[in-house]
């Protein structure tokens, strides 16, 4: 049975991509008058994408990811009409309409050498904390939407081409009348604990010396807690009992939702699945505190503060008090 974790009542997480101030205005998506009015509103702003990369304006030495209608149109004209792919209406932020525009990845060449622009991927933007949380959340929304559009240009039911509808929140198939909606893939990410110790591991693709919570995609027919217990058993060979929910975080690479949980270990002997993990071990609470402070004697490091794994580790340390 899934329980609400006592950890969920502790310091509210300031998770990258999650702190959205967006009013999604879902009713506007099928209201052409509302959408047209939003697009010509003086406060309307566009996030511009060249494929997977955000185009950022450099104005008076500062980075600005939000383009007004005229500057968005100028960007599009410079890139050429062949490069324009999709537009999505994200919603409003403090009553200012927000749109996202996708140009193809080749359009990046138009701006690469231009000092008035920078091309920065979302992961780097988040890691460097370049923009405040509401904008980062809008960027994550746009990235996940565009990634979904890019992978769903043909109907999964009949194979015919699909077209964007609902201001970017649906794709329609004219051949079979199928309607397809953007998907989110749930990933359970768990910190297994055994009293004063917790289990962390590292995947070969992690940055050197970084250890993190174990994680895996949920499968059809599984509950959240089933998936958590299965992943911990498959990857580290440990058994777990109670699993409790802490917090979640959109993770648009390309379209995951990280669901952060704590899991009570009921066995502690580790058997590592070497196809998934390079290493896994138990760390004491004091060690985790040193890891978070980048002062662990073995040089072990935590994931970035914007990642939910970092917060699960921090909450575990704070629970000592
Ligand atoms: Zn179809």
């Amino acid at each position: 049975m899934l329980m609400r974790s006592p950890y969920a009542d502790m310091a509210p997480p300031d998770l990258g991509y999650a702190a959205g101030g967006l009013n999604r205005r879902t009713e506007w998506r099928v209201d052409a008058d509302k959408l047209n009015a939003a697009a010509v509103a003086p406060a309307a702003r566009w996030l511009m994408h060249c494929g997977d990369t955000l185009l950022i304006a450099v104005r008076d030495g500062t980075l600005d990811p939000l383009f007004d209608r005229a500057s968005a149109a100028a960007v599009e004209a410079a890139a050429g009409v062949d490069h324009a792919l999709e537009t999505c209406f994200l919603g409003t932020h403090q009553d200012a309409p927000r749109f996202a525009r996708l140009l193809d990845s080749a359009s990046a060449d138009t701006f690469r050498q231009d000092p008035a622009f920078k091309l920065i991927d979302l992961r780097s933007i988040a890691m460097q904390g370049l923009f405040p949380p509401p904008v980062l959340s809008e960027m994550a929304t746009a990235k996940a939407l565009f990634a979904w559009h890019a992978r769903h240009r043909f109907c999964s039911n009949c194979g015919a081409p699909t077209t964007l509808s609902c201001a970017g929140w649906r794709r329609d198939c004219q051949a079979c009348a199928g309607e397809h909606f953007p998907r989110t893939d749930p990933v359970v990410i768990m910190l297994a604990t055994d009293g004063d110790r917790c289990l962390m591991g590292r995947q070969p693709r992690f940055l050197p010396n970084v250890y993190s919570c174990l994680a895996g995609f949920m499968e059809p027919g599984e509950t959240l807690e089933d998936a958590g217990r299965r992943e911990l058993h498959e990857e580290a060979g440990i058994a777990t009992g109670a699993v409790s929910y802490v917090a979640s975080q959109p993770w648009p690479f390309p379209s995951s939702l990280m669901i952060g949980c704590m899991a009570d270990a009921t066995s502690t002997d580790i058997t590592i699945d070497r196809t998934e993990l390079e290493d896994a071990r138990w760390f004491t609470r004091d060690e985790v505190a040193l890891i978070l402070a980048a002062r662990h004697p073995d040089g072990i490091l935590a994931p970035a503060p914007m990642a939910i794994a970092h917060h699960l580790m921090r909450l575990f340390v704070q629970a000592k008090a």
Side-chain angles (χ1 to χ4, degrees):
M1 180 184 135
L2 183 69
M3 298 178 297
R4 187 161 184 277
S5 170
Y7 291 97
D9 294 327
M10 299 170 64
D14 174 24
L15 298 169
Y17 311 126
L22 205 59
N23 181 341
R24 295 186 172 226
R25 309 264 186 201
T26 54
E27 71 281 9
W28 290 13
R29 295 174 188 169
V30 289
D31 186 332
D33 292 340
K34 286 284 191 192
L35 285 176
N36 291 336
V40 298
R45 294 292 181 272
W46 277 256
L47 291 168
M48 302 299 286
H49 297 71
C50 298
D52 238 9
T53 310
L54 276 138
L55 185 67
I56 309 293
V58 182
R59 298 195 178 101
D60 302 326
T62 60
L63 300 177
D64 186 353
L66 298 170
F67 292 73
D68 64 20
R69 185 176 172 83
S71 52
V75 160
E76 202 165 313
V81 288
D82 290 351
H83 294 293
L85 295 175
E86 318 278 24
T87 299
C88 297
F89 171 65
L90 301 177
T92 58
H93 177 75
Q94 295 172 348
D95 291 331
R98 289 278 207 268
F99 294 86
R101 185 84 169 120
L102 177 67
L103 313 178
D104 74 11
S105 51
S107 66
D109 294 339
T110 309
F111 308 104
R112 211 176 297 282
Q113 305 301 331
D114 188 334
F117 298 99
K118 278 194 184 303
L119 290 151
I120 316 179
D121 68 278
L122 182 60
R123 213 181 275 266
S124 300
I125 287 171
M127 295 291 276
Q128 295 172 41
L130 294 182
F131 304 114
V135 176
L136 193 62
S137 169
E138 291 166 21
M139 290 173 169
T141 302
K143 180 168 171 23
L145 263 182
F146 287 144
W148 176 77
H149 283 293
R151 290 162 177 78
H152 293 80
R153 301 202 180 281
F154 295 90
C155 177
S156 56
N157 184 45
C158 77
T162 56
T163 53
L164 178 149
S165 68
C166 282
W169 294 87
R170 203 175 80 196
R171 293 191 76 87
D172 294 344
C173 174
Q174 306 303 327
C176 75
E179 296 177 346
H180 304 282
F181 295 88
R183 57 177 293 164
T184 296
D185 301 321
V187 174
V188 59
I189 178 163
M190 305 120 323
L191 192 65
T193 62
D194 170 45
D196 199 43
R197 303 188 300 168
C198 69
L199 180 81
M200 297 194 296
R202 59 170 280 111
Q203 296 177 17
R205 65 175 180 83
F206 286 2
L207 291 171
N209 296 333
V210 169
Y211 277 68
S212 185
C213 307
L214 305 194
F217 283 102
M218 291 180 64
E219 294 186 345
E222 275 186 323
T223 62
L224 186 57
E225 52 273 39
D226 286 341
R229 292 189 193 107
R230 175 180 55 76
E231 288 288 345
L232 286 165
H233 189 257
E234 286 176 358
E235 295 187 4
I238 67 158
T240 42
V243 173
S244 55
Y245 169 77
V246 178
S248 64
Q249 177 183 32
W251 196 255
F253 305 101
S255 56
S256 296
L257 177 70
M258 308 299 281
I259 305 170
C261 295
M262 295 288 186
D264 289 342
T266 55
S267 75
T268 57
D269 288 343
I270 295 172
T271 306
I272 297 171
D273 174 2
R274 297 284 173 187
T275 61
E276 296 279 344
L277 297 178
E278 204 169 79
D279 190 24
R281 48 176 127 148
W282 292 99
F283 294 89
T284 65
R285 213 182 294 263
D286 291 342
E287 274 186 289
V288 178
L290 290 172
I291 291 169
L292 289 170
R295 290 193 289 112
H296 191 275
D298 297 340
I300 291 171
L301 299 169
M306 49 80 65
I308 194 168
H310 187 104
H311 287 268
L312 295 175
M313 293 166 66
R314 184 175 57 81
L315 293 175
F316 177 65
V317 169
Q318 288 177 347
K320 185 180 188 179

